[in-house]
Amino acid sequence: MINVILLGAGNVATHLFRAFRECKNVNLIQVYNHKAGKLKDFQREVATTTDLSKLKTADFYVLALKDDAINEVAEGLHIESGVVLHTSGGKDMKLLSRFQEHGVFYPLQTFSKNRNLNFREIPICLEASSPKVLGRVRKLAVNISDNIYEIDSESRRRMHVAAVFANNFTNHLYELSSEICEENGIEFDILKPLIRETASKIESLSPKEAQTGPAIRNDQHTIQTHLDLLNEDQQKIYKTLTSSIQKTYGKKL
Amino acid sequence: MINVILLGAGNVATHLFRAFRECKNVNLIQVYNHKAGKLKDFQREVATTTDLSKLKTADFYVLALKDDAINEVAEGLHIESGVVLHTSGGKDMKLLSRFQEHGVFYPLQTFSKNRNLNFREIPICLEASSPKVLGRVRKLAVNISDNIYEIDSESRRRMHVAAVFANNFTNHLYELSSEICEENGIEFDILKPLIRETASKIESLSPKEAQTGPAIRNDQHTIQTHLDLLNEDQQKIYKTLTSSIQKTYGKKL
């Protein structure tokens, strides 16, 4: 049985909690958070604490915290044994080097509390302070996911940038699209089948093969018509992305 | 029985062909294209022609053509009766005003020949030269889709801009993301569960509620780390979208 303590009560912590609770071989023994209020959802199912000095002894201490809080919590964490992990895409493993056995356990996904996710499909990127520790972290990870990758801090940081484009920026385009609909009395729902298909399409085609639209066709008439309908901020994004599409295909086709 | 002739042999025409062929109440009697080569895929199932003067008589002539070709084909089309429709999101219905009965039949989706789509889920935006014609176009549309909208040329043009953000620009972000992966020896496949969830998330949350990442957290440290990893073109897009996210939430939160 692998004993795990979870530090954090946000989106990532909540999803890890749900995933670990369903594992036969994992015993989630405690959840820590500095604010008591956020522990309410966990209390019925597991021991909780707001006091780092009251942590139990475990095999893994998983810091599922905001990037800025990792260092602070790590400083207050005094343990005699066990592996300390953080779950951040952007932060170096070295942040935890005060602990003899440490590593990174980064689930590459966008988490919101109210969404149910199948954790088995989520890629988990692992890194560890030694091959021996990596082996133990991997044994933990396979309990919840079928997609385990070993990735060092440098590559993880680069992957995190790629994820910002694929998730944060993509979602912002959805937001801009919904704004344009709203400004014009169009239901945003009408675009949802298109959004679904845009994401599905790249399961069978590369994004390069899937590209369509006025920019790649260099359809100046449509581009100008579109610009005339947009406000200054929207125009800036339209122009930047149109010129980037044209550069991509002008250079490489 | 509704008799339909399809003009065009590209992605939209191919998908409309497949959808109409499955309808009990629709008889797809002919496909026209100016190039014979592109008609090969249709010939086994339907009469084809490359000569506009050899079109049969039908209830509907559906011009599923590139924006730039609509006018040219319309000029060569001499019919005695029937409704002439185009399938473009960006073009005005007036383009077909030489025909007594005309309209627009715009399926809001991204089409590639090798993708199978469930047409019933695809929104079809209709417009027609008179209420009577609209009624007839609607009778045609309900045979292939459960999502029929009546939308005028002005709104359709605006919706088309929103679709460019949600589809063309989003796909380009996938492309940039895959480039960053490739440059750093990371498999793009690792990002696919994230891309799927990003699109699925907005079925239950608004894009505004779904937004996460360094831009909305105003995490300058991570933003700077990311910029340092990108080339000039990638930086430009990163900065433009980050500042747009911050403006959206700075203004409205």
PDB file of all heavy atoms in Angstrom, chain A residues 117-129:
ATOM      1  N   LEU A 117     -13.299  14.201 -15.042  1.00  0.00           N
ATOM      2  CA  LEU A 117     -12.290  13.808 -16.019  1.00  0.00           C
ATOM      3  C   LEU A 117     -11.932  12.350 -15.820  1.00  0.00           C
ATOM      4  O   LEU A 117     -11.976  11.845 -14.699  1.00  0.00           O
ATOM      5  CB  LEU A 117     -11.023  14.643 -15.808  1.00  0.00           C
ATOM      6  CG  LEU A 117     -11.094  16.122 -16.147  1.00  0.00           C
ATOM      7  CD1 LEU A 117      -9.827  16.825 -15.695  1.00  0.00           C
ATOM      8  CD2 LEU A 117     -11.263  16.300 -17.655  1.00  0.00           C
ATOM      9  N   ASN A 118     -11.578  11.695 -16.887  1.00  0.00           N
ATOM     10  CA  ASN A 118     -11.035  10.352 -16.782  1.00  0.00           C
ATOM     11  C   ASN A 118      -9.518  10.474 -16.634  1.00  0.00           C
ATOM     12  O   ASN A 118      -8.805  10.719 -17.607  1.00  0.00           O
ATOM     13  CB  ASN A 118     -11.407   9.540 -18.026  1.00  0.00           C
ATOM     14  CG  ASN A 118     -10.822   8.148 -17.980  1.00  0.00           C
ATOM     15  OD1 ASN A 118     -10.172   7.771 -16.998  1.00  0.00           O
ATOM     16  ND2 ASN A 118     -11.053   7.379 -19.020  1.00  0.00           N
ATOM     17  N   PHE A 119      -9.043  10.327 -15.402  1.00  0.00           N
ATOM     18  CA  PHE A 119      -7.616  10.547 -15.138  1.00  0.00           C
ATOM     19  C   PHE A 119      -6.725   9.573 -15.911  1.00  0.00           C
ATOM     20  O   PHE A 119      -5.594   9.894 -16.259  1.00  0.00           O
ATOM     21  CB  PHE A 119      -7.333  10.453 -13.637  1.00  0.00           C
ATOM     22  CG  PHE A 119      -6.409  11.542 -13.150  1.00  0.00           C
ATOM     23  CD1 PHE A 119      -6.879  12.646 -12.462  1.00  0.00           C
ATOM     24  CD2 PHE A 119      -5.044  11.471 -13.422  1.00  0.00           C
ATOM     25  CE1 PHE A 119      -6.016  13.658 -12.046  1.00  0.00           C
ATOM     26  CE2 PHE A 119      -4.176  12.486 -13.008  1.00  0.00           C
ATOM     27  CZ  PHE A 119      -4.669  13.566 -12.317  1.00  0.00           C
ATOM     28  N   ARG A 120      -7.241   8.397 -16.214  1.00  0.00           N
ATOM     29  CA  ARG A 120      -6.412   7.388 -16.908  1.00  0.00           C
ATOM     30  C   ARG A 120      -5.908   7.896 -18.261  1.00  0.00           C
ATOM     31  O   ARG A 120      -4.891   7.443 -18.767  1.00  0.00           O
ATOM     32  CB  ARG A 120      -7.181   6.083 -17.126  1.00  0.00           C
ATOM     33  CG  ARG A 120      -7.599   5.357 -15.846  1.00  0.00           C
ATOM     34  CD  ARG A 120      -7.319   3.859 -15.902  1.00  0.00           C
ATOM     35  NE  ARG A 120      -5.898   3.580 -15.863  1.00  0.00           N
ATOM     36  CZ  ARG A 120      -5.167   3.501 -14.735  1.00  0.00           C
ATOM     37  NH1 ARG A 120      -5.721   3.645 -13.550  1.00  0.00           N
ATOM     38  NH2 ARG A 120      -3.871   3.276 -14.804  1.00  0.00           N
ATOM     39  N   GLU A 121      -6.650   8.867 -18.870  1.00  0.00           N
ATOM     40  CA  GLU A 121      -6.239   9.396 -20.184  1.00  0.00           C
ATOM     41  C   GLU A 121      -5.275  10.583 -20.078  1.00  0.00           C
ATOM     42  O   GLU A 121      -4.750  11.052 -21.078  1.00  0.00           O
ATOM     43  CB  GLU A 121      -7.489   9.875 -20.948  1.00  0.00           C
ATOM     44  CG  GLU A 121      -8.391   8.756 -21.376  1.00  0.00           C
ATOM     45  CD  GLU A 121      -9.683   9.271 -21.995  1.00  0.00           C
ATOM     46  OE1 GLU A 121      -9.832  10.502 -22.141  1.00  0.00           O
ATOM     47  OE2 GLU A 121     -10.542   8.431 -22.320  1.00  0.00           O
ATOM     48  N   ILE A 122      -5.109  11.077 -18.855  1.00  0.00           N
ATOM     49  CA  ILE A 122      -4.299  12.293 -18.688  1.00  0.00           C
ATOM     50  C   ILE A 122      -2.814  11.939 -18.643  1.00  0.00           C
ATOM     51  O   ILE A 122      -2.398  11.103 -17.854  1.00  0.00           O
ATOM     52  CB  ILE A 122      -4.718  13.036 -17.397  1.00  0.00           C
ATOM     53  CG1 ILE A 122      -6.190  13.446 -17.495  1.00  0.00           C
ATOM     54  CG2 ILE A 122      -3.809  14.241 -17.137  1.00  0.00           C
ATOM     55  CD1 ILE A 122      -6.741  14.085 -16.234  1.00  0.00           C
ATOM     56  N   PRO A 123      -2.002  12.595 -19.510  1.00  0.00           N
ATOM     57  CA  PRO A 123      -0.561  12.328 -19.458  1.00  0.00           C
ATOM     58  C   PRO A 123       0.020  12.857 -18.137  1.00  0.00           C
ATOM     59  O   PRO A 123      -0.318  13.972 -17.714  1.00  0.00           O
ATOM     60  CB  PRO A 123       0.001  13.147 -20.624  1.00  0.00           C
ATOM     61  CG  PRO A 123      -1.172  13.520 -21.475  1.00  0.00           C
ATOM     62  CD  PRO A 123      -2.355  13.562 -20.565  1.00  0.00           C
ATOM     63  N   ILE A 124       0.838  12.051 -17.484  1.00  0.00           N
ATOM     64  CA  ILE A 124       1.532  12.530 -16.284  1.00  0.00           C
ATOM     65  C   ILE A 124       3.024  12.539 -16.585  1.00  0.00           C
ATOM     66  O   ILE A 124       3.591  11.537 -17.020  1.00  0.00           O
ATOM     67  CB  ILE A 124       1.239  11.659 -15.056  1.00  0.00           C
ATOM     68  CG1 ILE A 124      -0.282  11.622 -14.815  1.00  0.00           C
ATOM     69  CG2 ILE A 124       1.943  12.219 -13.808  1.00  0.00           C
ATOM     70  CD1 ILE A 124      -0.685  10.885 -13.551  1.00  0.00           C
ATOM     71  N   CYS A 125       3.634  13.714 -16.382  1.00  0.00           N
ATOM     72  CA  CYS A 125       5.050  13.890 -16.684  1.00  0.00           C
ATOM     73  C   CYS A 125       5.842  13.792 -15.387  1.00  0.00           C
ATOM     74  O   CYS A 125       5.624  14.573 -14.464  1.00  0.00           O
ATOM     75  CB  CYS A 125       5.287  15.251 -17.335  1.00  0.00           C
ATOM     76  SG  CYS A 125       4.237  15.476 -18.764  1.00  0.00           S
ATOM     77  N   LEU A 126       6.755  12.832 -15.353  1.00  0.00           N
ATOM     78  CA  LEU A 126       7.502  12.564 -14.126  1.00  0.00           C
ATOM     79  C   LEU A 126       8.958  12.991 -14.252  1.00  0.00           C
ATOM     80  O   LEU A 126       9.551  12.933 -15.321  1.00  0.00           O
ATOM     81  CB  LEU A 126       7.476  11.060 -13.819  1.00  0.00           C
ATOM     82  CG  LEU A 126       6.121  10.377 -13.710  1.00  0.00           C
ATOM     83  CD1 LEU A 126       6.319   8.916 -13.336  1.00  0.00           C
ATOM     84  CD2 LEU A 126       5.244  11.086 -12.677  1.00  0.00           C
ATOM     85  N   GLU A 127       9.506  13.387 -13.101  1.00  0.00           N
ATOM     86  CA  GLU A 127      10.938  13.647 -12.991  1.00  0.00           C
ATOM     87  C   GLU A 127      11.287  13.319 -11.547  1.00  0.00           C
ATOM     88  O   GLU A 127      10.438  13.496 -10.650  1.00  0.00           O
ATOM     89  CB  GLU A 127      11.206  15.139 -13.286  1.00  0.00           C
ATOM     90  CG  GLU A 127      12.673  15.468 -13.371  1.00  0.00           C
ATOM     91  CD  GLU A 127      12.927  16.964 -13.631  1.00  0.00           C
ATOM     92  OE1 GLU A 127      11.948  17.743 -13.654  1.00  0.00           O
ATOM     93  OE2 GLU A 127      14.101  17.340 -13.787  1.00  0.00           O
ATOM     94  N   ALA A 128      12.502  12.840 -11.299  1.00  0.00           N
ATOM     95  CA  ALA A 128      12.838  12.501  -9.917  1.00  0.00           C
ATOM     96  C   ALA A 128      14.313  12.717  -9.644  1.00  0.00           C
ATOM     97  O   ALA A 128      15.137  12.767 -10.571  1.00  0.00           O
ATOM     98  CB  ALA A 128      12.441  11.067  -9.614  1.00  0.00           C
ATOM     99  N   SER A 129      14.630  12.836  -8.375  1.00  0.00           N
ATOM    100  CA  SER A 129      15.995  13.161  -7.947  1.00  0.00           C
ATOM    101  C   SER A 129      16.967  12.001  -8.166  1.00  0.00           C
ATOM    102  O   SER A 129      18.177  12.212  -8.142  1.00  0.00           O
ATOM    103  CB  SER A 129      15.985  13.586  -6.484  1.00  0.00           C
ATOM    104  OG  SER A 129      15.301  12.620  -5.687  1.00  0.00           O
TER     105      SER A 129
END
